[in-house]
Amino acid sequence: MTGMDSEKQVKSKKDDNIVYVYGPGGPFGPMEELAKHFSKEKGIQVQVIAGPEGEWIDNAKQDADIIYGGSSYMLRNFLFSHPGLVKEDSWVELYSRPAGILVRKGNPKSIQTFADLTKDQVRIVDVNGAGQLGLWEDLAGRKGLIPGIQQNIAFSVKTSAEAIELWNSDSTIDAWITYESWHYRLQNETDLVTFPEEEKLYRGTPAALTVKGANKKAAESFLTYLQTEEAHEVFRKWGWK
């Protein structure tokens, strides 16, 4: 099973007894786990719908109560693209996650450091969006490795879903510079190379109520629950700080 197989794509039900939460695939694992915990403890059903925005935005415009992002800039761009949908003053920053390198099982190219990605015969997939925009460049720029990484990018795509599809269909791809958290979604398909703590780069995980959700006590309650230590522990389990 790939990391995206378990994501739920549902049609709008317009059910005020359900809290509808929409966002990208990256944070889906902890979000879904916490939704299940919350639903069981509070008796309030929470439905998480995740994946590329284009797959759910039409439904979200009808029934979304909470929107989350895979990075702070990602949610900001969502606000720019869909003015009036999100209640901006409800924005909260949840937890940050570190970047890492996903490699093939067994790490056949012996990639141990970021510099190893500049070696001959290393092929990289880059996600130029989905919370990862500029991620590799920020990491490479510290070490003067931008040209070396750029020349080894074999594919550049817009979403993590596309990267996973390529990873599973093209065995010549050796590495993906992304978030450590994706390894926890793709443990059967990847090994993880982590950066030393002093070299790690982190990005946030924002969430906010929609205008509709702001009038729904259950939505406010779930957003508050996401900020608890119990919720933080679940995010840690999935690779967040």
Side-chain angles (χ1 to χ4, degrees):
M1 182 178 73
T2 69
M4 307 298 285
D5 287 340
S6 62
E7 289 177 9
K8 298 177 181 179
Q9 302 296 334
V10 299
K11 293 184 178 180
S12 173
K13 298 176 182 177
K14 299 181 181 179
D15 188 335
D16 283 340
N17 295 317
I18 299 174
V19 175
Y20 291 102
V21 181
Y22 289 85
F28 175 74
M31 282 289 185
E32 184 190 44
E33 182 172 336
L34 289 166
K36 289 179 178 178
H37 289 176
F38 183 83
S39 298
K40 184 177 180 180
E41 292 175 6
K42 304 295 185 180
I44 299 169
Q45 186 177 348
V46 177
Q47 176 78 66
V48 182
I49 302 94
E53 182 183 317
E55 296 182 6
W56 50 256
I57 185 58
D58 288 343
N59 286 339
K61 287 178 179 178
Q62 298 178 58
D63 62 20
D65 297 302
I66 294 172
I67 302 290
Y68 67 86
S71 70
S72 293
Y73 88 78
M74 196 175 186
L75 186 57
R76 179 61 61 187
N77 282 345
F78 185 90
L79 267 63
F80 290 153
S81 299
H82 309 289
L85 181 59
V86 174
K87 190 172 186 293
E88 189 168 349
D89 63 4
S90 70
W91 179 314
V92 296
E93 282 293 339
L94 298 175
Y95 315 105
S96 59
R97 53 179 170 161
I101 304 168
L102 301 192
V103 298
R104 294 288 175 182
K105 296 295 290 185
N107 197 2
K109 291 293 179 73
S110 298
I111 296 167
Q112 304 296 334
T113 68
F114 195 75
D116 288 340
L117 295 174
T118 66
K119 292 179 178 179
D120 291 341
Q121 309 298 317
V122 172
R123 289 166 58 82
I124 301 167
V125 60
D126 165 48
V127 175
N128 194 45
Q132 296 157 63
L133 185 65
L135 187 67
W136 74 261
E137 190 172 13
D138 288 345
L139 289 158
R142 297 171 173 177
K143 295 178 174 293
L145 297 175
I146 291 175
I149 298 294
Q150 179 61 56
Q151 71 182 4
N152 282 352
I153 293 177
F155 297 97
S156 187
V157 296
K158 292 184 177 181
T159 70
S160 297
E162 293 174 272
I164 292 168
E165 184 176 349
L166 279 170
W167 188 269
N168 290 327
S169 64
D170 188 342
S171 61
T172 69
I173 298 173
D174 302 302
W176 174 13
I177 305 164
T178 182
Y179 296 108
E180 289 183 11
S181 59
W182 271 112
H183 170 63
Y184 296 85
R185 297 280 302 281
L186 300 166
Q187 292 189 52
N188 293 331
E189 296 91 353
T190 67
D191 282 345
L192 174 65
V193 177
T194 61
F195 295 112
E197 189 59 42
E198 66 273 12
E199 296 181 11
K200 286 190 175 183
L201 185 152
Y202 293 85
R203 285 189 177 168
T205 308
L209 297 169
T210 63
V211 172
K212 173 182 180 292
N215 296 317
K216 201 168 177 179
K217 289 185 178 180
E220 292 186 4
S221 182
F222 184 64
L223 187 61
T224 298
Y225 174 68
L226 291 175
Q227 300 169 69
T228 65
E229 185 55 33
E230 178 183 353
H232 195 180
E233 284 299 318
V234 171
F235 270 89
R236 286 193 187 104
K237 185 179 74 174
W238 286 89
W240 271 252
K241 182 177 178 180

